[in-house]
Amino acid sequence: MRCRYMDYMTNYDLDCLSNEESEKINKHISTCKNCRNYLGALMISKNYITKEPEMDKYFYMKVINAVDADRYKKSKLTFKVLSLLERLKPALKASFGTLAIFVSVTLLITSGIFDNLGNLIIKDNNNISYTNELTNLTFLQTEGQNIVTENGEIFNIRGVTLTNNFWGNWVNEESEKLQSEGMDPIIRPSVQDAWVLTEDDFERIKNLGCNTVLYDINYQLFAEDNPNREENLKKLKEHIMRFSSMDIYTAIMLMAPPGLDSANDIYEKHKHGSDRIKSVFEDDTYYKQWVDMWKYLSNELKDFKGVAGYGVINQPRAPSEIEGGIEVFRERLNNVCKEIRKIDKKHIIFVPEYNSREANPGESYWNEKTSNYTIDSGEQGIIWERDFVKINSSNIVYLFHFFEPYNFVNNGVGDFDAASMESQVEDRFEWAKNIGKAPLLTEYGISRVNSVDKRVEWLETAHNIFDKYGISASYFQYKNAVSSFVDVKTGFNALYGEYVSWENEIRLNPFYFTSEYVATSAEENHFAEALEEYYIKDNYFKRISILDNQPILETLQNFWK
């Protein structure tokens, strides 16, 4: 009698099953010989008929070791057929590949070889590595509401975010033109800036005590038409292996996708919906570019044990109903995860909640220009609400940002309430529990506009909440550029500030600003004070400083332990 699980395995993409469904099938095939054989045949058909295989050099040895030698003595017909196929192998070119595999699989199934080989393929599929990593790290995966190592040990991400200046730089003339047109003047990098990760940074991060870095990227670095794409990939792999050698995981986080992103939205959110830059959820070209980038990266990184996973997008906005609403948002998020899963079955995919959505006609939204609530009449105003959508795939961790309460954390206005903070985390925890016991990751931070004591108090409160609910967490952020044009208090969360543009802004011995405009900007952004206190001491200039963040770092290190 044909087992009903065979139809299930035939009709569904096994790579995109939920953890619950995967566990159910794994439990069944451990006791059902017919399904075990059938699954082995499906795996070979998928991997060796539909595409050119990347063959493990030890594959044949593993097959031989899995075979019962007594079954294949020279007098047996099966042995003779297999021997003939081996002699004919050089002649079996692409046009005969499908036939050869079909004959081989048929013989293997009828001979019962999958009793051993099926288990070998399933077990070994996640252990083959084609990288040169020297590391003690193992692939991470999800188990219930936990992230675990291959040994089954619970692993909570205790990390720090490397923003890598993903938003880019001011480029004379081009930026001025964009700014005059009411667009984001900052140009996304096509090559990562050299200053964002230096030898000193690697040594500093090594000594921080974190177990993971969230490594931010922008789409343009890996766009198909970027002539520097291969060099950018090479650098990314080198950075992954460098962190991996320190036993620090790297999570690749896409912060700026094609189209609308969290940085250019500062300029776009006030525009009418018809004039606003479209997102990957609204524009088919941007969507394809987004998916293609992740297919490229996941194919290149799928064997790196030091990769914790992929953050598919940052703080996305759900479109209005006229452009598909939450349904198209859910569909496209699921599709990008499915495309990654077809290529990479080993790594976690980090999926964020939407951070806002476009209003529909008749809905009320807060109008920042008028400082009043406005009834939408088709302009697609922004409603600042957040929620997750369920992803129908395996190895998913849901991501949320935690800067609560925002007015206090970012602007230094008012105070915070521990019970209110915990309530917001608990709501997300319960949602993840109810949709299938999924783990959570949060990215959090607090700006220098608050006193050191208040920052420490808020961090300790947040850490206690994260520990209580077993939530992975990454502090935002490790380092950022400082200058006369960057406010180093409001919204400045970085542990370290690096004065990248100092040669354009100041002169030393004697000290002075290069222009009155620079000097005025430095005063307005509280940078003149920071410069005197942290960067220029006794006629000695420091390019990078921890500012007043030593107590903040020590609080984080206590949490990371």
Side-chain angles (χ1 to χ4, degrees), residues 36-37 40 43 113-123:
R36 190 160 58 247
N37 290 347
M43 291 177 69
I113 194 173
F114 277 118
D115 290 353
N116 294 322
L117 184 58
N119 288 330
L120 172 67
I121 293 173
I122 294 166
K123 180 180 178 182

Side-chain angles (χ1 to χ4, degrees), residues 222-240:
F222 303 102
E224 189 175 359
D225 60 355
N226 182 354
N228 303 298
R229 180 164 80 155
E230 294 306 312
E231 281 300 311
N232 292 339
L233 177 67
K234 180 181 177 183
K235 178 184 280 190
L236 174 59
K237 288 180 176 179
E238 288 171 354
H239 288 174
I240 291 168

Side-chain angles (χ1 to χ4, degrees), residues 267-371:
Y267 295 84
E268 298 296 317
K269 62 185 178 182
H270 301 300
K271 297 178 182 178
H272 191 284
S274 59
D275 299 325
R276 193 180 298 144
I277 293 175
K278 298 300 181 183
S279 73
V280 296
F281 303 102
E282 299 167 302
D283 183 271
D284 291 342
T285 299
Y286 290 149
Y287 170 67
K288 184 178 185 304
Q289 290 172 340
W290 178 45
V291 172
D292 286 348
M293 188 214 74
W294 276 120
K295 287 165 71 173
Y296 170 75
L297 283 182
S298 59
N299 184 61
E300 292 289 342
L301 303 178
K302 62 180 183 289
D303 293 308
F304 281 83
K305 293 182 179 180
V307 171
Y310 313 119
V312 290
I313 198 168
N314 176 59
Q315 296 185 319
R317 173 172 298 147
S320 64
E321 288 179 2
I322 198 170
E323 292 175 298
I326 299 299
E327 285 308 308
V328 76
F329 178 80
R330 179 186 292 109
E331 177 187 340
R332 292 196 167 187
L333 265 184
N334 268 279
N335 283 346
V336 74
C337 292
K338 185 175 181 179
E339 291 300 320
I340 292 172
R341 272 289 164 263
K342 288 178 181 177
I343 298 165
D344 184 346
K345 304 166 184 62
K346 303 169 187 175
H347 289 117
I348 287 169
I349 301 176
F350 299 101
V351 179
E353 60 188 359
Y354 59 83
N355 192 52
S356 60
R357 66 178 179 86
E358 292 178 337
N360 300 302
E363 289 186 314
S364 176
Y365 68 92
W366 179 256
N367 189 322
E368 292 183 13
K369 286 187 173 181
T370 63
S371 296

Side-chain angles (χ1 to χ4, degrees), residues 71 74 95 163 198 216 276 343 540:
R71 279 183 175 269
K74 292 188 178 182
S95 59
T163 51
T198 66
D216 291 349
R276 193 180 298 144
I343 298 165
Y540 176 74

Side-chain angles (χ1 to χ4, degrees), residues 430-523:
E430 290 299 325
W431 179 90
K433 179 180 177 181
N434 292 334
I435 59 96
K437 296 184 176 179
L440 292 170
L441 166 67
T442 187
E443 197 171 12
Y444 68 109
I446 184 167
S447 74
R448 287 188 68 247
V449 71
N450 293 288
S451 70
V452 170
D453 288 345
K454 270 297 181 184
R455 280 181 271 162
V456 168
E457 184 184 352
W458 184 88
L459 284 171
E460 289 177 341
T461 302
H463 293 162
N464 288 335
I465 295 170
F466 302 154
D467 275 338
K468 178 177 178 179
Y469 292 92
I471 290 174
S472 288
S474 181
Y475 183 78
F476 181 89
Q477 57 178 312
Y478 159 65
K479 182 176 79 169
N480 197 11
V482 295
S483 83
S484 300
F485 305 98
V486 173
D487 191 332
V488 294
K489 285 194 173 182
T490 302
F492 191 89
N493 302 345
L495 292 172
Y496 293 89
E498 184 162 354
Y499 197 3
V500 180
S501 58
W502 70 273
E503 291 175 295
N504 298 322
E505 296 182 9
I506 62 172
R507 294 292 180 263
L508 302 170
N509 300 322
F511 169 81
Y512 62 92
F513 288 103
T514 55
S515 73
E516 188 63 34
Y517 174 59
V518 173
T520 302
S521 297
E523 287 291 339

Side-chain angles (χ1 to χ4, degrees), residues 149-318:
T149 66
E150 286 183 317
N151 302 322
E153 298 171 353
I154 293 177
F155 181 87
N156 283 321
I157 290 174
R158 295 290 180 255
V160 66
T161 298
L162 313 182
T163 51
N164 298 324
N165 199 38
F166 74 84
W167 42 77
N169 302 287
W170 180 278
V171 178
N172 286 336
E173 294 185 7
E174 186 176 354
S175 292
E176 290 161 355
K177 182 176 184 296
L178 288 169
Q179 190 174 52
S180 70
E181 295 170 352
M183 301 181 72
D184 181 8
I186 304 302
I187 309 300
R188 305 290 176 269
S190 59
V191 175
Q192 188 184 74
D193 292 344
W195 67 269
V196 301
L197 263 181
T198 66
E199 187 63 30
D200 287 342
D201 289 309
F202 280 109
E203 285 304 309
R204 198 176 290 116
I205 294 167
K206 178 181 179 181
N207 295 320
L208 287 182
C210 58
N211 62 22
T212 306
V213 292
L214 270 57
Y215 187 105
D216 291 349
I217 62 171
N218 56 286
Y219 161 75
Q220 291 77 7
L221 290 172
F222 303 102
E224 189 175 359
D225 60 355
N226 182 354
N228 303 298
R229 180 164 80 155
E230 294 306 312
E231 281 300 311
N232 292 339
L233 177 67
K234 180 181 177 183
K235 178 184 280 190
L236 174 59
K237 288 180 176 179
E238 288 171 354
H239 288 174
I240 291 168
M241 288 192 285
R242 183 68 184 274
F243 285 123
S244 184
S245 72
M246 305 173 189
D247 292 340
I248 295 175
Y249 284 100
T250 303
I252 313 301
M253 314 298 286
L254 178 62
M255 300 299 282
L260 186 73
D261 62 43
S262 58
N264 61 29
D265 186 51
I266 295 170
Y267 295 84
E268 298 296 317
K269 62 185 178 182
H270 301 300
K271 297 178 182 178
H272 191 284
S274 59
D275 299 325
R276 193 180 298 144
I277 293 175
K278 298 300 181 183
S279 73
V280 296
F281 303 102
E282 299 167 302
D283 183 271
D284 291 342
T285 299
Y286 290 149
Y287 170 67
K288 184 178 185 304
Q289 290 172 340
W290 178 45
V291 172
D292 286 348
M293 188 214 74
W294 276 120
K295 287 165 71 173
Y296 170 75
L297 283 182
S298 59
N299 184 61
E300 292 289 342
L301 303 178
K302 62 180 183 289
D303 293 308
F304 281 83
K305 293 182 179 180
V307 171
Y310 313 119
V312 290
I313 198 168
N314 176 59
Q315 296 185 319
R317 173 172 298 147

